[in-house]
């Protein structure tokens, strides 16, 4: 799929049903800290309390939201730091939506928010995501053993970060 066929835009309240579908996909939820089987009603409530300091992006193909990325800025002495999480619908994985979302988030962080450091946490076995982040200049900073409970077992994660060039 061509990057030209993927629209990246701000998330809107009417996107919540599609976002819920994305985040309830087995592989998509596996790669996040989200819980499976979250209802549309629960996600609508979460959407209402999204902070003004967060940038919520969606990837759209043929009018359907197939991916999302939330970019937030920390406060106080870590106000130069942004963090994010993302997910792509299982049926659209590997077609460029993650790359398009990352490109938009990095541009937003670098050119509009003045974020110096972008950081993330990724499961050690999420090879595709790690490769994507490395293409955008993220470097591995450390291993976090038994970071969180996932799919019936504790899973390790990698701390990664990118400093604005």
């Amino acid at each position: 799929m061509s990057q030209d066929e993927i629209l990246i835009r701000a998330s809107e309240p009417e996107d919540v049903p599609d976002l819920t579908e994305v985040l309830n996909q087995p592989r998509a939820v596996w790669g996040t800290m989200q819980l499976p089987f979250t209802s549309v009603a629960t996600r609508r409530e979460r959407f209402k309390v999204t902070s003004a300091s967060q940038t919520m992006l969606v990837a759209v193909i043929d009018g359907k939201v197939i991916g999302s990325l939330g970019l937030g800025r920390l406060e106080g002495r870590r106000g130069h730091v942004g963090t994010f999480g993302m997910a792509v619908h299982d049926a659209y994985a590997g077609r460029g939506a993650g790359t398009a979302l990352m490109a938009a988030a990095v541009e937003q962080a670098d050119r509009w928010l003045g974020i110096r450091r972008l950081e993330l946490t990724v499961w050690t076995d999420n090879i595709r995501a790690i490769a994507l982040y490395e293409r955008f200049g993220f470097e591995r900073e450390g291993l976090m053993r038994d970071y969180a409970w996932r799919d019936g077992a504790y899973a390790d994660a990698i701390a990664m970060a990118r400093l604005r060039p």
Side-chain angles (χ1 to χ4, degrees):
M1 178 153 287
S2 150
Q3 293 288 324
D4 296 334
E5 299 174 57
I6 302 168
L7 170 68
I8 303 298
R9 63 166 172 77
S11 180
E12 299 290 347
E14 58 269 15
D15 296 331
V16 172
D18 282 353
L19 289 169
T20 300
E21 180 181 336
V22 168
L23 290 166
N24 282 336
Q25 294 295 303
R27 181 73 183 173
V29 77
W30 173 89
T32 70
M33 288 290 289
Q34 302 289 319
L35 290 173
F37 310 115
T38 300
S39 70
V40 171
T42 298
R43 292 217 186 272
R44 281 192 205 284
E45 290 302 311
R46 288 183 192 163
F47 191 89
K48 287 180 191 174
V49 296
T50 300
S51 165
S53 68
Q54 281 192 308
T55 300
M56 299 298 296
L57 302 174
V58 293
V60 181
I61 295 177
D62 295 328
K64 180 175 179 57
V65 172
I66 55 89
S68 67
L69 185 148
L71 171 64
R73 179 182 219 128
L74 301 183
E75 297 178 357
R77 293 174 55 191
R78 295 205 71 217
H80 66 292
V81 177
T83 63
F84 70 92
M86 66 182 292
V88 173
H89 193 292
D90 289 8
Y92 294 86
R95 296 185 181 181
T99 298
L101 284 164
M102 282 297 302
V106 166
E107 179 178 359
Q108 182 83 348
D110 287 356
R111 298 186 62 205
W112 296 100
L113 299 174
I115 290 174
R116 169 86 174 117
R117 175 184 167 87
L118 273 176
E119 56 188 35
L120 63 92
T121 305
V122 60
W123 305 116
T124 56
D125 55 359
N126 196 343
I127 305 306
R128 288 175 73 173
I130 294 167
L132 172 65
Y133 302 143
E134 288 176 338
R135 283 197 315 270
F136 278 88
F138 285 81
E139 296 181 20
R140 298 171 195 222
E141 293 190 331
L143 172 67
M144 296 178 282
R145 295 174 296 150
D146 289 351
Y147 179 73
W149 186 256
R150 182 193 64 176
D151 198 19
Y154 286 105
D156 295 345
I158 300 169
M160 297 182 79
R162 172 193 177 271
L163 297 180
R164 185 175 66 226

